[in-house]
Amino acid sequence: MRTLNEFSTALALAQRARKLTANALALRTGLTPQAVRQILAGETAPRLTNAMAIASELGLELVLVPKEAAPSLSGGPRAERTVLSDVERRLGLRSGVSFTPGK
């Protein structure tokens, strides 16, 4: 994600998938319902701690990666994976090899 809009969209999609209201997220994170709604709508940039709290409640993790690795993690059709996670390394996978869990 590179923009506030992409970030808020990802949070909003996770919110809908988890079927949580803004009020429920507010109660769980200690934020006001208005603040949660503004963050999910991309109307305001959240503080890092608030973003982490909302993401956690939505089953997401905020992760910093080197810019060089970011394109390979985006999952786009042209993205070729050049960086392997620790799990992928332990499974013995190589760059460019796709792995679908459970298949």
Side-chain angles (χ1 to χ4, degrees), residues 53-103:
I54 291 173
S56 180
E57 288 300 324
L58 294 174
L60 302 171
E61 186 77 29
L62 295 181
V63 179
L64 297 176
V65 297
K67 282 187 175 188
E68 297 81 25
S72 69
L73 300 173
S74 69
R78 294 185 179 179
E80 181 180 327
R81 297 279 314 274
T82 57
V83 177
L84 297 177
S85 70
D86 288 338
V87 172
E88 290 168 322
R89 270 195 235 61
R90 290 178 186 174
L91 290 171
L93 298 178
R94 296 177 313 280
S95 180
V97 176
S98 63
F99 173 72
T100 305
K103 290 191 178 182

Side-chain angles (χ1 to χ4, degrees), residues 7 11 25 28-31 39 45-57 60 62:
F7 178 72
L11 291 179
L25 276 173
R28 293 177 179 199
T29 59
L31 300 170
I39 291 167
R47 290 182 179 174
L48 181 58
T49 53
N50 294 344
M52 291 169 64
I54 291 173
S56 180
E57 288 300 324
L60 302 171
L62 295 181

